[in-house]
Amino acid sequence: MFEEAKNEFGKIPDDFIFKQKIQVYLGDIAVEKQNYTQGLNFYEQVRKNRDFEKFDIDEAKVIHNVGLCHLHLKDYKSAEIYLIKSLKLQENKKDTITIISSYMDIAGMYYEQYLDNLAIPFYKKAYVLSKKIKGNYLLKKNAALNMAVVEENKKKYLQSLKYRKESEVWNDSLNNQSRVWSIVQLEKQFAIKRKQGEVNVLKAQNKLEALEKNRILYITILLLIMFLGGIYFYLQKLKTNKAILDQKTKLDESNTAKDILFSIVSHDLRSYINSLKNSYFKMQANIEDSDFVKLKEEIRTGSTIAESTNHLLNNLLHWALMQTNQLYFNQENINIYMITEQVVYNYRSLMVEKNILFENNLTSNLKVRADQESLKIILRNILDNAIKYTDKGGKILIYMNAIYDQYHSITVEDSGKGMSEELQNEILYDSKIISDKKKSSRGLGLHLCQSLIKKNLGLFKLESSTNIGTKITISLLSA
């Protein structure tokens, strides 16, 4: 993408009025591609013209990037000059966020030269200033992590551990901020809809009471039509009661499914949290015992638990969005091989850890018509379950199954534990998605896949046998 952007920018003629702005972008691209000499050339051309305000260019940022280029090129003297100069410009603008970043960059520059006496004060300034800002958990995390390294190099391991714990707290806040906010909003919407349902029931009851009063009034006043009036209102009552009963039954079923679902998710989430706590205590013990081999294993375990927790919460969020018709869909032509590779990338370490043989046999030019984000969710859930329920030394295959009636069928096959016929039925049929509280959240992920496939006008097929393995086939419209 950087190379394509560079090529497009290169098509702009030299007499373009905003050419300096383009040179800034080209410098940024060069830095991203770690071509610091080329990036320095672009930034220097911008600095020579000095028309920063005219072209809406951040002078402090340009000078800062020049300093970073010199730093990566090991020209520490020049790097120090430019980084200090950009820091003064940022201090004049009182830009707290960029000041903190500059403190850390300057400290890193001195640290590379083993000038700890110069680096540590800047690390401390960055840390103290980061405590005063709201939000920006990434900056807080990096500032605390730098202090942890400083204290560790001083052999002050307890103080270093304190900073590392603080860094982990900011990292957790960074990951959970958007997710927690979305769930809170959904809970509010659920509460509003539940109250609205109660209001509707009360309105129906009031309507019935009014009908009863009218019926009595008509019988009292109109004795001649009492028989016909009685039959009429009796039939109306039966009809209304039947409608209310049907609505109540559906509402009860929906509430029961929701309650059981939250019970399942709460149980699994509590298990993950307890596992994380146990892993945390073990890490503390390993640190105190200086057992870094076990510490590395516990960190890997904690990472796996955190990823599973994240996957569970994402499934719950998307399930809720599906139930409230808030999930955005945009069908487009997609290279499913590329999407599959993107999803598989995040799971390769888990498959290596379990020594699972994985093969993606899809052709590189295979295209389907679907919503990209929902397709990623489908593949993530299927692959996550395949890895989770496949023993060490097993295998997972992805391949083209068939092409028929303008559909491409893709199969994910594993040699895992498989599923019972009862569990398969609960996943395949909406009415049995959650039958009792003993079921795990595994069915939720696959049921979400089935719903998203239907939303994409596709087909979902599940074949599995206990202790033999599972084959899940998704069929999508060909592009």
Side-chain angles (χ1 to χ4, degrees):
M1 295 298 291
F2 285 130
E3 194 62 35
E4 288 185 22
K6 180 181 175 182
N7 291 337
E8 292 299 321
F9 281 132
K11 297 176 183 178
I12 298 174
D14 292 335
D15 58 354
F16 181 54
I17 188 172
F18 290 106
K19 187 66 177 179
Q20 290 190 55
K21 193 84 170 179
I22 303 304
Q23 290 173 331
V24 174
Y25 291 144
L26 290 171
D28 294 343
I29 291 173
V31 170
E32 289 289 346
K33 297 183 69 177
Q34 299 182 357
N35 193 339
Y36 302 110
T37 301
Q38 188 181 68
L40 199 57
N41 290 334
F42 284 119
Y43 290 136
E44 287 296 342
Q45 291 179 43
V46 176
R47 290 186 61 249
K48 287 178 181 178
N49 293 318
R50 302 194 59 81
D51 292 329
F52 297 108
E53 293 186 6
K54 179 180 178 181
F55 296 106
D56 190 28
I57 297 173
D58 188 342
E59 180 182 6
K61 179 183 175 183
V62 171
I63 294 175
H64 184 82
N65 288 346
V66 170
L68 289 179
C69 288
H70 283 296
L71 176 60
H72 286 291
L73 294 172
K74 307 301 182 184
D75 183 0
Y76 298 114
K77 185 176 180 181
S78 298
E80 181 180 18
I81 293 172
Y82 286 108
L83 289 176
I84 295 296
K85 183 177 180 180
S86 69
L87 175 62
K88 291 179 180 178
L89 292 173
Q90 293 161 359
E91 287 175 340
N92 290 336
K93 294 196 298 183
K94 298 181 180 180
D95 189 347
T96 307
I97 302 299
T98 55
I99 289 173
I100 295 172
S101 298
S102 290
Y103 282 158
M104 290 193 287
D105 288 336
I106 294 170
M109 175 192 65
Y110 287 135
Y111 226 62
E112 283 191 23
Q113 302 175 72
Y114 301 99
L115 301 175
D116 294 8
N117 59 325
L118 296 176
I120 292 174
F122 282 101
Y123 278 136
K124 288 182 177 179
K125 286 181 180 180
Y127 175 75
V128 171
L129 196 56
S130 72
K131 303 284 282 185
K132 298 179 181 180
I133 63 174
K134 294 182 180 179
N136 207 320
Y137 298 125
L138 179 61
L139 207 59
K140 291 174 178 284
K141 167 195 166 186
N142 291 336
L145 192 59
N146 287 332
M147 290 303 299
V149 174
V150 168
E151 296 300 330
E152 186 176 341
N153 290 338
K154 291 180 179 179
K155 309 297 183 184
K156 296 181 180 180
Y157 297 114
L158 289 177
Q159 187 65 24
S160 175
L161 182 59
K162 175 183 175 183
Y163 286 121
R164 287 194 181 274
K165 288 180 180 178
E166 182 179 347
S167 175
E168 291 173 2
V169 169
W170 295 128
N171 189 54
D172 291 341
S173 299
L174 186 66
N175 292 333
N176 294 331
Q177 185 180 40
S178 61
R179 192 177 298 116
V180 169
W181 174 252
S182 298
I183 292 176
V184 168
Q185 292 300 313
L186 287 173
E187 288 177 346
K188 289 181 179 179
Q189 293 174 9
F190 287 145
I192 292 171
K193 289 188 175 181
R194 185 170 60 250
K195 290 296 182 183
Q196 186 61 47
E198 294 175 359
V199 170
N200 292 336
V201 171
L202 287 174
K203 287 181 177 180
Q205 290 176 347
N206 291 335
K207 183 178 179 181
L208 284 175
E209 291 176 1
L211 289 173
E212 284 292 326
K213 291 178 181 179
N214 290 334
R215 186 171 69 86
I216 294 173
L217 180 61
Y218 293 148
I219 292 173
T220 303
I221 297 175
L222 305 173
L223 295 175
L224 296 177
I225 59 173
M226 181 177 63
F227 180 72
L228 295 176
I231 293 177
Y232 172 78
F233 285 110
Y234 179 72
L235 293 175
Q236 286 295 317
K237 181 180 178 180
L238 287 178
K239 183 178 178 180
T240 305
N241 284 344
K242 184 178 183 302
I244 293 174
L245 183 60
D246 291 341
Q247 291 178 359
K248 185 177 182 299
T249 301
K250 291 180 181 178
L251 184 61
D252 289 342
E253 289 177 355
S254 177
N255 285 336
T256 300
K258 181 202 68 178
D259 292 340
I260 295 175
L261 172 64
F262 279 118
S263 175
I264 291 170
V265 173
S266 298
H267 177 269
D268 285 2
L269 192 57
R270 186 163 55 248
S271 299
Y272 289 142
I273 291 174
N274 287 334
S275 298
L276 279 173
K277 288 172 64 178
N278 292 334
S279 178
Y280 173 75
F281 290 133
K282 289 180 182 178
M283 282 191 279
Q284 278 190 313
N286 292 332
I287 291 174
E288 293 174 358
D289 297 338
S290 297
D291 191 343
F292 297 107
V293 175
K294 290 184 178 180
L295 176 60
K296 185 176 180 180
E297 293 177 358
E298 288 301 327
I299 291 174
R300 188 185 299 113
T301 300
S303 177
T304 302
I305 296 170
E307 182 63 28
S308 297
T309 306
N310 179 62
H311 185 70
L312 173 63
L313 291 175
N314 278 332
N315 276 344
L316 176 60
L317 174 61
H318 286 100
W319 179 87
L321 291 173
M322 282 283 293
Q323 300 305 307
T324 55
N325 295 319
Q326 296 185 63
L327 199 60
Y328 175 74
F329 267 78
N330 178 33
Q331 285 190 305
E332 55 185 329
N333 295 339
I334 297 173
N335 186 319
I336 193 168
Y337 175 82
M338 297 300 297
I339 295 297
T340 303
E341 284 295 299
Q342 291 176 22
V343 173
V344 168
Y345 178 81
N346 295 323
Y347 289 96
R348 288 198 184 277
S349 60
L350 290 176
M351 290 189 285
V352 171
E353 185 179 341
K354 295 185 71 173
N355 194 26
I356 293 175
L357 173 64
F358 173 79
E359 292 182 8
N360 183 359
N361 295 322
L362 298 177
T363 57
S364 60
N365 60 349
L366 181 63
K367 291 187 177 182
V368 296
R369 185 160 183 78
D371 173 69
Q372 180 170 300
E373 291 306 315
S374 63
L375 183 56
K376 287 182 180 179
I377 294 168
I378 293 166
L379 292 173
R380 275 199 297 267
N381 273 288
I382 295 175
L383 193 59
D384 185 78
N385 279 335
I387 296 171
K388 186 183 299 182
Y389 295 101
T390 297
D391 295 329
K392 290 185 177 181
K395 64 179 180 179
I396 299 174
L397 306 176
I398 301 179
Y399 54 87
M400 168 70 71
N401 189 294
I403 301 177
Y404 61 94
D405 293 338
Q406 298 182 339
Y407 278 90
H408 287 324
S409 294
I410 297 94
T411 297
V412 180
E413 180 178 352
D414 65 66
S415 60
K417 298 178 181 178
M419 297 182 228
S420 66
E421 185 175 351
E422 178 186 3
L423 180 55
Q424 292 180 58
N425 288 334
E426 291 187 0
I427 292 170
L428 292 173
Y429 300 105
D430 292 351
S431 59
K432 290 189 174 182
I433 174 59
I434 304 171
S435 61
D436 60 65
K437 295 184 180 180
K438 295 181 181 180
K439 299 290 183 284
S440 71
S441 58
R442 180 187 188 187
L444 173 63
L446 290 180
H447 178 70
L448 178 62
C449 290
Q450 187 182 11
S451 300
L452 291 174
I453 285 290
K454 288 181 180 178
K455 195 81 173 177
N456 280 287
L457 305 179
L459 305 173
F460 180 89
K461 183 179 180 182
L462 173 63
E463 301 174 79
S464 183
S465 299
T466 306
N467 298 323
I468 293 179
T470 301
K471 289 199 318 185
I472 295 179
T473 302
I474 59 175
S475 301
L476 296 168
L477 290 170
S478 59

